[in-house]
Structure formats: C-alpha cells, structure tokens
Amino acid sequence: VSTQSTGTGTIEAMLTQLLTTAAALLILGTGEARPDYISRATLINAKGQNGVSWGTLVVTVKGDGLYHRGVTGMVCDDYMTDDTAHFLCQAAGFGSMEQWSRLSRASDAHKLPYAEWQNLFVGKFAGFALDDLQCGPGATRLEECSHNSAGHHNCDYSEGMVLKCSEMERGVDLEDMDVQLQKGRGVMSSNGTVLLNGTRSSGLVCADGVTSETAELLCNEAGYDTLVDYQAAKNVNRSSKLSCDTLRYRNISVIVEDLDCPSNSTELGDCSASHARGDCDADDALWLSCTN
C-alpha cells in the first residue's frame, strides 16, 4: 500500500483526510457550543506534496455551527500580519513562521496550481475556509483570533496564503491519544497496524526509528502486557494488517513520525513525536504483535 505520491492523487487523498479525520459532533440540547477551530492545516507545493514546510496553506475549520465535515480551503491574505502567519505555521505543526506572501507574489514551486484549486474547492466549498483572519501575538487557538464566518469571503485565487515555516516542528500532543491494533477491515487484534485515535485526529505511526521500548509501551497502551514483535507494515502478511481498501475507505494515513518513548515512560503522554512530514507512507507504518 502506498498513500504517498505526487500530483492530483496526493492532493485529493490529503483533502479527503482533511474532511474526514477528527469529525466534530453537533452538541445537542442547551449546552454551550464549541467555538470554531482548525482541525487540520497543511502546506502543499506545486508537485502536490503536502506536509512540506513551504507551500500553499490549506485548512479545515470545524465547529458546532458548521456542517460536521467542516469547511476546507485556502486562507485569504486580507489583514494578514506576521503574528497571524506565525499562528498558522504553528497550526500546520511547525515552530514558527519564516516568511509569508500571497499566491500572486509567490514562486510557482510553492503554489497549489489554479486548476487544482478550482477542481478541489470551488463548487464543493467556497474556495477559501477563512478570510479576514487576525490573530494577536501568542495566539494558539482560532477562538483567540477574529475572522469571518468559515467559508464566507470575498477573495480570489491570487489572495491565497503561501507560508514558509521553520523546519523545527512542534511536538505532537499525545496526551489524548488512544492506541489500537487493527487488521483487515478494522478488526481489533493483539497483532495489527498501530492506530492512534485522538479527539481531533487519528492515523498511523511511522515505523522508522521506533525502538523496542517504544513498541513495548504501545502494546501496554493497547491493553497488552508484552511485546512479541514490531515491524514496518510492508514486512507483514497482508491478513495481519489493515487492508489497503480499509486505509483508502477510511482515509487513514501516517500522522506521526519520530515516536520515542524513554525507558522510564509509563504512558503515551510521556513520549515525544513529530507531525508527519509526508515522507513516510502506509507501507512504512508501524505494526505490532503483543500478548498477555
């Protein structure tokens, strides 16, 4: 299985994931509504590679007042400042912003092509997810910024945002992640592909660099006592891992790389990890065999 490629296929796969991961439930009754939030942000270059540090910004905005899949599109550069651009780089998983520009002033290498923008956004959405976004220094959540209602804008393609963000990424918050081992069509098992499930995102773990200590802790977090074996999914029998069809249908991809759990770790929150950079695909995802 390979979910990494370039061109339209990669962009469409990424956008499907943007639309389906971390779906927000509508709150029923008289409870307080959840404010809009950015559930996913990524940078895409002209080759269709997402997760790069320099590219066109695409976000999905969700909230209780929005359709449950949210609104996906570019961010308009109206009222853009360095503080807002810094917030957006952090939303995309990076430490800070190095530079920003509107699409009309950016190098072609860093632009989401116009034809792709029309095909993927215009019609399905309004083309832009956010307009008139203004964030102050230190903002970490969308609710701390002002903006038009998600999807409401007066922008055209040339006003999209291109960001160059620092290569040093913020670590992934693993505190709210549950660990499951799944195979086939999503059957829970003591041996299977590792799936992290969080409140706002879910996906696979890149196997590169994972140690036996880290694999052991993941077995424990999945409810098992002992690690038997750990491998990249490409080295495992097809029946013992999530199927290609399931990965495609559920739009599952690698979301975490460089997962490391020190020997004294007792829970997943003690570990560190980086956001996926797009160079580790489903074949490279972590597979575990555990037992009690």
Side-chain angles (χ1 to χ4, degrees):
V1 181
S2 177
T3 58
Q4 180 185 10
S5 59
T6 59
T8 304
T10 296
I11 299 175
E12 290 180 340
M14 183 279 303
L15 287 170
T16 305
Q17 181 184 358
L18 288 176
L19 294 173
T20 56
T21 56
L25 298 175
L26 293 177
I27 295 178
L28 302 177
T30 59
E32 183 178 352
R34 177 190 294 182
D36 291 352
Y37 64 95
I38 295 176
S39 68
R40 182 85 172 182
T42 193
L43 304 180
I44 310 173
N45 62 22
K47 295 181 179 179
Q49 297 168 318
N50 68 86
V52 297
S53 61
W54 195 350
T56 304
L57 178 67
V58 173
V59 302
T60 294
V61 178
K62 294 186 177 181
D64 291 325
L66 300 173
Y67 176 58
H68 75 279
R69 286 190 171 183
V71 177
T72 299
M74 296 196 296
V75 175
C76 189
D77 76 334
D78 290 350
Y79 300 108
M80 189 58 52
T81 64
D82 287 351
D83 287 331
T84 301
H86 177 77
F87 163 75
L88 291 169
C89 274
Q90 290 199 323
F94 295 93
S96 61
M97 180 274 301
E98 293 187 16
Q99 67 183 63
W100 63 268
S101 68
R102 59 161 47 193
L103 272 166
S104 62
R105 298 171 184 164
S107 165
D108 287 345
H110 309 303
K111 294 180 181 179
L112 174 68
Y114 178 77
E116 299 297 343
W117 175 71
Q118 281 196 315
N119 179 52
L120 297 168
F121 298 129
V122 179
K124 296 179 182 178
F125 303 99
F128 286 81
L130 289 171
D131 185 19
D132 294 350
L133 178 64
Q134 299 179 72
C135 305
T140 59
R141 298 188 302 273
L142 184 59
E143 64 187 274
E144 298 171 1
C145 308
S146 63
H147 57 89
N148 288 353
S149 298
H152 292 267
H153 69 92
N154 60 353
C155 306
D156 59 34
Y157 169 78
S158 67
E159 297 175 88
M161 280 286 298
V162 171
L163 291 175
K164 182 180 182 182
C165 303
S166 66
E167 291 285 357
M168 182 177 296
E169 301 177 14
R170 294 190 307 161
V172 177
D173 183 5
L174 300 170
E175 290 283 351
D176 72 336
M177 295 283 193
D178 294 325
V179 179
Q180 297 177 354
L181 307 182
Q182 296 187 13
K183 62 183 181 181
R185 296 183 178 179
V187 177
M188 302 281 284
S189 175
S190 61
N191 60 85
T193 306
V194 176
L195 184 68
L196 298 183
N197 283 312
T199 56
R200 292 193 176 183
S201 63
S202 63
L204 310 178
V205 176
C206 184
D208 293 350
V210 170
T211 64
S212 58
E213 289 85 2
T214 297
E216 182 93 38
L217 186 136
L218 290 171
C219 278
N220 298 158
E221 289 286 286
Y224 299 97
D225 296 331
T226 307
L227 170 70
V228 177
D229 191 17
Y230 66 105
Q231 300 278 347
K234 61 187 174 186
N235 300 323
V236 178
N237 185 284
R238 184 179 302 177
S239 63
S240 299
K241 60 187 177 183
L242 279 171
S243 70
C244 297
D245 288 344
T246 299
L247 291 170
R248 293 191 187 100
Y249 180 75
R250 293 169 55 186
N251 304 299
I252 299 172
S253 64
V254 174
I255 61 168
V256 166
E257 297 184 21
D258 305 322
L259 180 62
D260 179 57
C261 302
S263 57
N264 61 348
S265 300
T266 59
E267 58 185 25
L268 191 60
D270 296 329
C271 306
S272 62
S274 302
H275 294 273
R277 296 178 289 273
D279 54 3
C280 189
D281 62 26
D283 282 337
D284 302 311
L286 182 63
W287 174 93
L288 295 181
S289 176
C290 310
T291 189
N292 287 322

